[in-house]
């Protein structure tokens, strides 16, 4: 199976997505990601990642379809941006964690890795809990770092939910119950960013599961 990333421009209207996915299904293609990046009165742009046996035949049939005006083959997001480190919490702490994560990611990316770092400064229990749960829906998100001075309540429940779905969660050593719910607790924010990248890098010999303690 050949992995394909496609940007497909179509006319707008009911049933267009059905036509596109129907063509892919006819080629026994497996859609692994789909995003509507633009939808106006006249045109719609889709980004799809598909695995298919005969890429050229699929591209030809898509280009010939009535609602399709343009098909572009592009690099996959995994190839361009790779794994994602997500950092959220208070602005000052987020910035310090990002320093560590970006510096460490650069070291691994120079050696052929692809790791990107995303940040969002947030305050408020409900806002943070919603954001934590949303990380499990983000493509390629591999580790979440919670950076703040006090987090608990609904945020702790959200942390336990996303960990149950396989996401690694690192917390700063803060007040509240979130540290108790996290995989790893790190006092220094710069070190937390470094360890987050090391935990997901294929070019690092580091595993949270092999640590004899979980608070640093």
């Amino acid at each position: 199976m050949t992995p394909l990333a496609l940007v497909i421009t179509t006319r707008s209207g009911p049933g267009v997505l059905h036509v596109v996915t129907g063509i892919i299904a006819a080629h026994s293609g497996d859609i692994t990601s789909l995003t509507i990046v633009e939808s106006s009165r006249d045109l719609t742009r889709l980004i799809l990642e598909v695995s298919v046996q005969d890429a050229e035949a699929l591209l030809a049939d898509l280009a010939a379809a009535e609602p399709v005006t343009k098909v572009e083959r592009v690099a996959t997001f995994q190839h361009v941006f790779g794994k994602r480190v997500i950092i959220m919490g208070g602005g000052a702490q987020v910035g310090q964690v990002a320093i560590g994560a970006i510096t460490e990611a650069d070291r691994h990316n120079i050696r052929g890795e692809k790791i990107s770092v995303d940040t969002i400064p947030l305050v408020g229990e409900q806002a943070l809990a919603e954001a934590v749960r949303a990380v499990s829906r983000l493509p390629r998100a591999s580790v979440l770092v919670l950076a703040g001075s006090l987090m608990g309540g609904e945020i702790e429940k959200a942390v336990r939910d996303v960990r149950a779905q396989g996401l690694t969660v690192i917390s700063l050593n803060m007040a509240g119950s979130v540290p108790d719910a996290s995989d790893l607790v790190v006092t220094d924010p710069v070190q937390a960013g470094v360890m987050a990248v090391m935990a997901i890098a294929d070019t690092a010999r580091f595993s949270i599961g092999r640590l004899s303690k979980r608070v640093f």
Side-chain angles (χ1 to χ4, degrees):
M1 299 288 279
T2 302
L4 288 177
L6 305 173
V7 179
I8 302 176
T9 305
T10 73
R11 62 168 175 79
S12 294
V16 170
L17 185 59
H18 176 73
V19 172
V20 171
T21 57
I23 293 170
I24 294 170
H27 285 265
S28 300
D30 181 20
I31 300 173
T32 56
S33 175
L34 190 156
T35 305
I36 299 175
V37 292
E38 182 180 353
S39 181
S40 66
R41 186 180 64 180
D42 299 320
L43 65 86
T44 297
R45 280 203 309 145
L46 312 171
I47 297 179
L48 297 99
E49 295 192 7
V50 182
S51 294
V52 69
Q53 289 283 1
D54 191 338
E56 296 306 319
L58 173 62
L59 290 170
D61 283 354
L62 285 171
E66 183 276 325
V68 176
T69 58
K70 187 177 182 181
V71 179
E72 302 171 79
R73 186 172 180 176
V74 297
T76 65
F77 284 126
Q78 181 66 42
H79 174 77
V80 176
F81 295 111
K83 303 168 188 172
R84 300 171 74 180
V85 178
I86 312 296
I87 308 167
M88 63 179 65
Q93 292 98 328
V94 165
Q96 291 300 300
V97 174
I99 289 172
I102 292 168
T103 302
E104 184 69 11
D106 182 62
R107 187 169 74 88
H108 292 281
N109 289 350
I110 285 172
R111 296 154 63 191
E113 193 91 42
K114 290 289 180 68
I115 297 173
S116 54
V117 180
D118 298 274
T119 65
I120 178 167
L122 280 175
V123 295
E125 180 180 344
Q126 191 60 39
L128 276 163
E130 289 174 351
V132 168
R133 289 192 171 94
V135 174
S136 63
R137 304 193 296 271
L138 286 175
R140 309 179 325 281
S142 300
V143 60
L144 167 65
V145 185
L146 289 169
S149 301
L150 171 64
M151 292 186 193
E154 282 300 316
I155 306 170
E156 178 202 345
K157 295 177 184 177
V159 168
R160 295 189 186 279
D161 288 345
V162 296
R163 284 187 62 203
Q165 296 175 57
L167 182 71
T168 298
V169 179
I170 296 175
S171 167
L172 293 190
N173 200 349
M174 66 177 83
S177 56
V178 160
D180 295 331
S182 302
D183 292 285
L184 188 65
V185 181
V186 184
T187 301
D188 180 73
V190 175
Q191 183 184 1
V194 171
M195 295 180 80
V197 171
M198 290 176 62
I200 63 172
D202 293 330
T203 48
R205 296 182 178 180
F206 173 74
S207 171
I208 290 178
R210 296 178 63 186
L211 295 174
S212 58
K213 62 178 184 176
R214 51 179 297 278
V215 180
F216 293 87

